[in-house]
C-alpha cells in the first residue's frame, strides 16, 4: 500500500515534512506526478514551486538519484524491489479554501497541493498519517478505517482535505442515513444552534430535489479568519470555506454570505463532484482539461445555491431579490458578452478566468451562468418542468454512475422537458453559444414571476451619466463603450478635478505624467445602471418556482 507520513518539525517555518512510501514491484522507472491544478479551479497553479529537498531512499536506506522530467514530474530508477521512500518538504503558506497552511495553531492541508500521483499505481489504496500535537483535534474528508485515514485512490486523495487545530468546534446532524459534520476553526461569535438548523434546512431541500445524497458522510470545514476573506471549494465528501473577519458574522448581511457559499458548495456535491463534463471525468491534474461546461458547473450551481436558501426559508423573498440584484449589477458592468460566448469563456478559464483580464473580453461562468440558469428554469416552468428536474435527470444518467457528460447530452436532457424545442434552441444559439444581450430575457421572465426589473441611475452620476467608473485612488477603472468618455479617457487616468456645467463635464486628468483637460457630453440614456427587483404581485407560477 502507498503511504504518506506528514508532520511539521517547525510550524512557524510553515514547512511540512513528507515521507511517501511506495511499494516497488518491478525494476522499471518510477514516475511521480505532482498536480499542476486542483478541482474547482481550472487554472494552472504549479504546486511544484512549493517543494524543496526531494530525495529518494531504497529499502535499505541508500539514496538514489531522482531526475526532474518536467516542471512537476520526477523519476527515479529502482535497483531493488521493495518499499522506497520519497522525502521532501512542502511550504504551506497560502490560506484559502483550496491550499495549505501551517502555523503554531493548526495544520491545514489540501492533499492535491502536496501529494504525488505514482504513475501506474493511481488506483491503489493510499494510507495517510499526519502527526500533530496531542492536544489538537482533527477533521478530514478522507475515509477512516480502524482509526487509520486512507483514500481509495489518488483521485480521492486529491479531492480530500485535513485540518488539525488546538481550537476546533464541532457540531453534527443527520438527514436520513447521511451524517453531516460542521467544523469551525476560529472564533464562533454567532448562534451555533441556529446556524446548524439553517444548514440542515437547505441540505434537506437539496437532498429532496435530487432524491438522495451521493455519500454517507459530509463535512463542512470552516476557517473563520480575523481578516477579510471569502472562498469555498467543493469536495465529494465535504467542503472547505474560508470567511473573515469572523466578527462580522454577527450581522445578518455577512451571515447571508457565509450561508450562500455553504449552500453553493453543498450543491457541488452533486453538480461537478459527480455530475461532470467528460473532459474532467476523471481529473488529469498534470495538464489543462479544456471544457465548455462552465455555465453548467458554476452557473447553475450559483443560481441553485441562492434558490435553495429561498426554498429552505433561510432567505426571505426580499433577501433573495437583493442577492439576485448583486448578480445583475455585477453583470451590467461587463460587456464581454459582446465579444465572447460563455462557452468560449469557459474554455478560456485556463488563460484568465479568475482575474479581471483585458476589458470586456469575457463573461463570468458564475454570474452570467446564473442568469442563463434562471432563464432556463423560468422557461421550463412554462413547460410544467424545472431546472431541478433536469439536474435530477443528469444525476441519474451521469452523476450516480459517474459517467462524464457532453454538452450535447446536457442539452438533450433539457429538450426532453419541452414540446417547443425551437424556443430553447434559439435561446441556446443566442445566449449560450451566441453573444446576444441576456438582460431583456431576464427581465421578461422576472415579469412572468410577478416582479418588475427597474433600472435607475444609482448614486454615482459619473458612472450613470458619463460612463466612468473610478477606484478609491481616483483612477479610471472602467469606461462604458457607448459613452463619449470611451473615445477620450483611458483606464488608469487619474481624475484631478471635474465640473458639471449643463450636461457637459469639464474634467482634468493626469495620464501617466501628462496633464490633460477635456469636455465630456452626457447621453440621453443611463449608461452604468443600478438594477432593482420590485415585487409587484404573487402568482401561481411564482409559488411553483419557490415551492415546486
Amino acid at each position: 500500500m502507498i503511504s504518506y507520513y506528514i508532520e511539521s518539525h517547525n510550524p512557524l517555518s510553515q514547512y511540512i515534512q513528507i515521507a511517501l512510501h511506495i511499494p516497488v514491484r518491478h525494476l522499471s522507472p518510477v514516475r511521480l506526478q505532482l498536480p499542476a491544478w486542483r478541482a474547482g479551479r481550472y487554472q494552472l497553479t504549479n504546486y511544484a514551486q512549493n517543494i524543496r529537498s526531494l530525495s529518494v531512499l531504497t529499502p535499505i536506506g541508500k539514496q538514489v538519484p531522482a531526475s526532474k522530467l518536467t516542471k512537476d514530474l520526477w523519476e527515479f530508477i529502482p535497483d531493488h524491489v521493495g518499499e522506497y521512500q520519497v522525502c521532501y518538504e512542502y511550504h504551506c503558506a497560502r490560506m484559502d479554501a483550496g491550499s495549505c497552511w501551517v502555523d503554531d495553531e493548526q495544520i491545514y492541508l489540501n492533499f492535491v497541493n502536496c501529494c504525488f500521483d505514482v504513475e501506474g499505481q493511481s488506483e491503489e489504496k493510499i494510507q495517510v498519517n499526519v502527526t500533530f500535537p496531542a492536544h489538537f483535534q482533527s477533521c478530514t474528508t478522507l475515509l477512516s478505517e480502524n482509526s487509520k485515514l486512507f483514500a481509495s485512490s489518488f483521485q480521492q486523495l486529491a479531492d480530500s482535505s485535513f485540518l488539525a487545530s488546538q481550537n476546533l468546534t464541532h457540531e453534527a446532524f443527520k438527514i436520513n442515513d447521511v451524517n453531516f459534520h460542521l467544523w469551525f476553526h476560529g472564533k464562533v461569535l454567532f448562534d451555533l444552534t441556529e446556524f446548524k438548523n439553517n444548514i440542515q434546512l437547505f441540505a434537506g431541500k437539496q437532498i429532496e430535489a435530487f432524491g438522495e445524497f451521493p455519500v454517507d458522510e459530509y463535512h463542512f470545514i470552516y476557517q473563520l479568519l480575523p481578516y477579510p476573506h471569502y472562498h469555498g471549494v467543493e469536495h465529494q465528501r465535504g467542503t472547505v470555506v474560508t470567511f473573515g473577519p469572523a466578527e462580522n458574522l454577527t450581522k445578518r448581511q455577512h451571515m447571508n454570505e457565509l450561508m450562500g457559499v455553504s449552500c453553493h458548495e453543498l450543491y457541488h456535491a452533486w453538480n461537478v463532484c459527480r455530475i461532470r463534463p467528460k473532459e474532467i471525468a476523471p481529473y488529469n491534474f498534470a495538464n489543462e482539461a479544456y471544457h465548455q461546461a462552465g455555465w453548467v458547473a458554476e452557473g447553475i450551481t450559483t443560481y441553485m445555491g441562492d434558490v435553495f436558501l429561498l426554498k429552505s426559508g433561510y432567505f426571505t423573498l426580499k433577501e433573495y431579490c437583493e442577492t439576485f440584484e448583486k448578480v445583475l449589477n455585477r453583470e451590467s458592468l461587463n460587456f464581454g458578452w459582446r465579444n465572447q460566448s460563455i462557452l468560449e469563456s469557459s474554455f478560456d478559464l485556463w488563460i484568465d478566468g479568475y482575474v479581471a483580464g483585458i476589458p470586456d473580453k469575457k463573461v463570468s461562468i458564475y454570474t452570467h451562468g446564473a442568469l442563463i440558469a434562471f432563464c432556463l428554469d423560468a422557461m421550463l416552468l412554462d413547460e410544467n418542468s424545472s431546472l431541478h428536474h433536469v439536474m435530477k435527470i443528469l444525476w441519474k444518467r451521469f452523476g450516480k454512475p459517474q459517467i462524464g457528460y457532453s454538452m450535447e447530452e446536457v442539452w438533450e436532457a433539457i429538450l426532453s422537458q419541452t414540446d417547443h424545442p425551437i424556443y430553447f434552441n434559439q435561446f441556446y444559439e443566442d445566449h449560450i453559444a451566441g453573444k446576444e444581450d441576456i438582460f431583456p430575457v431576464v427581465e421578461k421572465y422576472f415579469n412572468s414571476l410577478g416582479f418588475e426589473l427597474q433600472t435607475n441611475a444609482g448614486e454615482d452620476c459619473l458612472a450613470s451619466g458619463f460612463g466612468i467608473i473610478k477606484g478609491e485612488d481616483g483612477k479610471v477603472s472602467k469606461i462604458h463603450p457607448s459613452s463619449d468618455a470611451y473615445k477620450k479617457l483611458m483606464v488608469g487616468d487619474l481624475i484631478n478635478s471635474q465640473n458639471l456645467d449643463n450636461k457637459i463635464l469639464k474634467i482634468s486628468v493626469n495620464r501617466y505624467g501628462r496633464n490633460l483637460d477635456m469636455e465630456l457630453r452626457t447621453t440621453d440614456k443611463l449608461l452604468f445602471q443600478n438594477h432593482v427587483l420590485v415585487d409587484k404581485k404573487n402568482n401561481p407560477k411564482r409559488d411553483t418556482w419557490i415551492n415546486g
Side-chain angles (χ1 to χ4, degrees), residues 172-181 200 203-204 207 211-220 236-237 266 269-270:
F173 62 88
K174 192 169 186 176
I175 299 178
N176 301 331
D177 295 326
V178 183
N179 293 305
F180 288 88
H181 298 270
Q200 188 168 356
I207 292 171
E212 57 188 317
F213 197 68
V215 293
D216 59 1
E217 186 173 80
Y218 190 89
H219 299 261
F220 291 90
Q236 285 194 18
R237 291 172 49 82
L266 181 64
W270 293 272

Side-chain angles (χ1 to χ4, degrees), residues 171-229:
E171 290 286 337
F173 62 88
K174 192 169 186 176
I175 299 178
N176 301 331
D177 295 326
V178 183
N179 293 305
F180 288 88
H181 298 270
L182 306 175
W183 302 92
F184 303 88
H185 176 260
K187 293 182 179 180
V188 180
L189 303 174
F190 49 86
D191 187 324
L192 199 51
T193 299
E194 181 181 0
F195 184 89
K196 179 175 73 172
N197 290 340
N198 288 327
I199 296 283
Q200 188 168 356
L201 285 172
F202 74 64
K205 285 293 184 180
Q206 290 192 23
I207 292 171
E208 181 183 337
F210 280 102
E212 57 188 317
F213 197 68
V215 293
D216 59 1
E217 186 173 80
Y218 190 89
H219 299 261
F220 291 90
I221 301 174
Y222 293 96
Q223 290 273 12
L224 302 181
L225 305 169
Y227 51 84
H229 213 283

Side-chain angles (χ1 to χ4, degrees), residues 221-511:
I221 301 174
Y222 293 96
Q223 290 273 12
L224 302 181
L225 305 169
Y227 51 84
H229 213 283
Y230 177 86
H231 191 215
V233 172
E234 69 271 13
H235 301 291
Q236 285 194 18
R237 291 172 49 82
T239 179
V240 178
V241 174
T242 57
F243 189 94
E247 62 186 20
N248 285 358
L249 290 172
T250 58
K251 302 173 184 176
R252 176 75 177 187
Q253 67 185 88
H254 296 292
M255 179 56 72
N256 287 354
E257 293 175 352
L258 184 60
M259 294 298 292
V261 67
S262 300
C263 196
H264 176 109
E265 299 304 337
L266 181 64
Y267 197 84
H268 272 316
W270 293 272
N271 191 29
V272 176
C273 287
R274 294 291 287 269
I275 306 170
R276 282 190 212 169
K278 61 183 180 181
E279 292 85 353
I280 56 172
Y283 296 115
N284 176 6
F285 294 111
N287 301 296
E288 300 93 330
Y290 298 99
H291 65 78
Q292 296 183 318
W295 70 272
V296 179
E298 294 294 352
I300 289 178
T301 303
T302 298
Y303 170 69
M304 290 295 192
D306 293 334
V307 164
F308 276 105
L309 291 181
L310 177 62
K311 284 180 173 291
S312 69
Y314 174 78
F315 269 166
T316 64
L317 186 59
K318 182 176 183 294
E319 286 176 317
Y320 176 82
C321 289
E322 290 171 348
T323 300
F324 206 101
E325 287 167 5
K326 292 178 183 177
V327 174
L328 291 167
N329 289 322
R330 281 197 292 268
E331 275 297 296
S332 69
L333 298 178
N334 182 20
F335 296 91
W337 55 268
R338 295 180 177 180
N339 301 301
Q340 196 173 70
S341 73
I342 198 166
L343 300 182
E344 295 168 318
S345 292
S346 179
F347 195 88
D348 276 1
L349 284 170
W350 295 95
I351 300 174
D352 61 358
Y354 301 93
V355 295
I358 62 175
D360 298 326
K361 173 207 167 186
K362 62 191 176 185
V363 296
S364 165
I365 62 170
Y366 294 85
T367 53
H368 198 84
L371 298 186
I372 289 171
F374 165 73
C375 292
L376 286 173
D377 198 17
M379 292 168 71
L380 289 164
L381 284 174
D382 289 338
E383 306 291 325
N384 296 314
S385 185
S386 69
L387 194 55
H388 305 288
H389 190 71
V390 169
M391 293 306 294
K392 190 173 182 178
I393 292 172
L394 295 179
W395 162 249
K396 290 182 177 179
R397 290 183 185 175
F398 304 105
K400 192 170 183 178
Q402 299 189 62
I403 300 170
Y405 63 72
S406 67
M407 291 306 301
E408 292 77 15
E409 288 168 323
V410 170
W411 200 247
E412 286 173 8
I414 291 172
L415 293 184
S416 72
Q417 300 303 298
T418 178
D419 294 326
H420 309 94
I422 187 171
Y423 300 115
F424 283 81
N425 286 334
Q426 190 63 57
F427 178 85
Y428 185 93
E429 291 301 317
D430 290 345
H431 303 292
I432 298 177
K435 303 168 188 174
E436 297 296 321
D437 185 1
I438 199 171
F439 269 73
V441 187
V442 172
E443 182 178 11
K444 170 187 173 182
Y445 284 110
F446 266 117
N447 286 340
S448 74
L449 293 172
F451 298 94
E452 181 183 351
L453 182 56
Q454 296 181 351
T455 57
N456 56 50
E459 297 179 1
D460 187 356
C461 67
L462 198 64
S464 58
F466 295 92
I468 303 167
I469 296 177
K470 64 179 181 178
E472 294 180 359
D473 58 0
K475 292 183 178 180
V476 175
S477 60
K478 192 166 186 65
I479 309 170
H480 197 290
S482 299
S483 68
D484 186 32
Y486 193 69
K487 297 178 180 179
K488 296 178 180 179
L489 285 179
M490 284 180 62
V491 170
D493 282 351
L494 175 63
I495 299 176
N496 291 324
S497 65
Q498 61 190 62
N499 181 46
L500 181 60
D501 182 15
N502 193 27
K503 294 189 176 181
I504 295 178
L505 182 68
K506 296 180 180 180
I507 191 168
S508 175
V509 303
N510 182 288
R511 179 174 296 165

